[in-house]
């Protein structure tokens, strides 16, 4: 048993999240949802920050969406951006089945266009989860900073790209984008942040100013 298995074994199986994993499998969607312990961390971050307006970039099957929605305070809403209509439908069904359908809205299409529209509409958010195409991460960070309330939390998933980010021989566009994202998370003076080497790497930042 490894450390992650041990830590997960301390908790009862989460039937709602297991249902999501089975649904993703049945639909033939990529099985790249976050781990249970990571999901608990998302719920905690949303809960601790008292978030009322969360934004997720990349819905997939709704696993992280459930974890985020669970942490929202009364009247809170998750806006989830998804490129594929089918994935948004599956995620929406899973949140509905988890009793969280009233806490999520999906916006389908290219996230960059949707983010511009959200800014145009005057929306602001206090929690961001970036978990979409890796080449887009630096642009998604720009948008998160534009759309952030003071004190907002920004979380980025997969910031190590399964070892590719630390492998100097890897120079592809996703790897380059992720290195830029991580550097900016670390150096941007508007943020207090950490980059954790757990799971596939996760960046957590707070937008200063609250
Ligand atoms: Mg991911």
């Amino acid at each position: 048993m490894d450390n992650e298995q041990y830590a997960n074994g301390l908790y009862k199986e989460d039937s709602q999240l297991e249902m999501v994993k089975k649904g993703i499998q049945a639909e033939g969607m990529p099985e790249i949802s976050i781990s249970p312990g990571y999901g608990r961390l998302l719920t905690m971050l949303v809960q601790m920050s008292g978030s009322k307006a969360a934004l997720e970039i990349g819905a997939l099957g709704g696993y992280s969406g459930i974890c985020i929605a669970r942490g929202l305070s009364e009247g809170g809403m998750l806006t989830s951006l998804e490129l594929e209509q089918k994935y948004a439908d599956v995620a929406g069904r899973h949140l509905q089945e988890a009793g969280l359908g009233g806490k999520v809205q999906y916006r389908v299409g290219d996230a960059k266009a949707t983010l511009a529209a959200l800014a145009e509409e005057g929306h602001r958010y206090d929690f961001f989860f970036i978990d979409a195409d890796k080449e887009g991460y630096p642009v998604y960070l720009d948008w998160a900073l534009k759309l952030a309330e003071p004190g907002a939390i920004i979380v980025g998933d997969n910031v190590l790209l399964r070892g590719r980010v630390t492998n100097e021989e890897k120079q592809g566009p996703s790897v380059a984008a992720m290195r830029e994202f991580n550097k900016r998370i670390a150096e941007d003076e508007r943020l207090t942040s950490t980059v954790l080497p757990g799971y596939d790497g996760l960046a957590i930042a707070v937008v200063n100013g609250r």
Side-chain angles (χ1 to χ4, degrees), residues 1-12 36-37 40 199:
M1 188 190 298
D2 68 19
N3 291 346
E4 191 178 337
Q5 286 166 334
Y6 168 75
N8 283 333
L10 295 170
Y11 294 84
K12 273 194 299 190
R40 281 188 285 273
Y199 303 107

Side-chain angles (χ1 to χ4, degrees), residues 1 29 34 42 46-47 49 54 59 76 80 83 86 103 118 121 147 157-158 167 170 195 202 204 209:
M1 188 190 298
M29 291 161 63
I34 57 171
L42 283 185
V46 173
Q47 191 178 332
S49 63
S80 183
L83 180 62
K86 178 191 159 179
K103 286 187 175 247
L118 293 171
E121 293 163 24
L147 294 171
D157 187 34
N158 307 110
N167 181 345
K170 303 286 181 190
V195 175
L202 65 150
I204 305 176

Side-chain angles (χ1 to χ4, degrees), residues 17 33-34 39 42 56 58-59 61-69 78 129 131:
L17 295 176
S33 297
I34 57 171
L42 283 185
E56 170 183 61
Y63 191 106
S64 54
I66 288 176
C67 298
I68 293 167
L78 166 66
F129 183 51
D131 190 18

